Amino acid sequence: RNLTNHPGWDRDPAWSPDGRMIAFTSNRDGNWEIYVVNAEGTNLRRLTNHPGWDGDPAWSPDGRTIAFTSDRDGNYEIYVMNAEGTNQRNLTNHPGEDWLEAWSPDGRMIAFTSDRDGNSEIYVVNAEGTNQRRLTNYPDWDGFPAWSPDGRMIALASFRGGNWEIYVMNAEGTNLRNLTHHPGEDRLEAWSPDGRMIALRSDRDGNDEIYVVNVAGANR
């Protein structure tokens, strides 16, 4: 069923942890902003209002905060705001592009993708903006971080080796390993709630389909 109905584009939906609301990105008012709507489609409201691009909302695990990407300061940065849209503030503040953010399950850290060191890598920052640090360091593109439900691992998509593959590593950046091993493009990964499997998008059969793989790398 259709929850939104507007001539503008509505995209990037993200459920609140309690399942009562959905945040999303929309250009319905002339530029890209963050909106929220009740899960049954009522009480749609705008949370951001800035001439810059605001998008890709991500709820904190306690549902009190939403992280998002914005170029309002001239380049893409990670911002956070209260769930009702107040107290919008920049966490990253770097000339490089910072985007594709993901909360740790305990809400204490945010992983994100950044090209601040010359190519895209996975970084992590404390939820209040302190202690920004790099987790990957490779000449090819690493991005799309996703935390395991227990917070012990981070999955990512990487172009190392000449094609897109899904990797996992320990949350501190150690023990990186490839799960997919295929010439097709594998990316946009998401963990199962029990942390045993990862869903992903792949074009290995000639068009994009959804696949799952065990975290151990077997039974694709």
Side-chain angles (χ1 to χ4, degrees), residues 24-25 35 64 82 87 103 119 135 176 179:
F24 63 97
T25 308
Y35 290 75
R64 300 173 59 184
N82 296 342
N87 194 22
W103 289 87
N119 68 298
L135 298 185
L176 181 78
L179 290 188

Side-chain angles (χ1 to χ4, degrees), residues 77-174:
E77 304 278 6
I78 307 300
Y79 286 73
V80 292
M81 62 181 167
N82 296 342
E84 66 274 14
T86 59
N87 194 22
Q88 297 177 25
R89 55 203 185 276
N90 185 346
L91 285 191
T92 53
N93 195 22
H94 191 277
E97 305 284 358
D98 301 327
W99 60 312
L100 296 173
E101 69 283 353
W103 289 87
S104 64
D106 62 7
R108 298 173 59 188
M109 293 180 288
I110 296 173
F112 62 97
T113 306
S114 179
D115 67 358
R116 58 179 64 193
D117 290 328
N119 68 298
S120 289
E121 305 283 2
I122 305 294
Y123 287 74
V124 69
V125 60
N126 292 348
E128 68 274 13
T130 60
N131 196 20
Q132 296 180 37
R133 53 208 184 273
R134 185 173 61 187
L135 298 185
T136 64
N137 187 7
Y138 195 82
D140 284 320
W141 202 96
D142 296 329
F144 298 106
W147 293 82
S148 63
D150 63 6
R152 298 173 61 185
M153 291 188 288
I154 295 175
L156 63 139
S158 178
F159 197 70
R160 57 183 72 197
N163 68 299
W164 291 101
E165 302 278 8
I166 303 301
Y167 289 74
V168 292
M169 63 182 173
N170 296 340
E172 65 273 15
T174 60

Side-chain angles (χ1 to χ4, degrees), residues 169-196:
M169 63 182 173
N170 296 340
E172 65 273 15
T174 60
N175 194 26
L176 181 78
R177 62 191 190 280
N178 184 349
L179 290 188
T180 50
H181 302 286
H182 194 276
E185 292 190 353
D186 301 327
R187 49 184 169 170
L188 295 177
E189 73 287 351
W191 290 84
S192 65
D194 63 6
R196 297 174 60 189

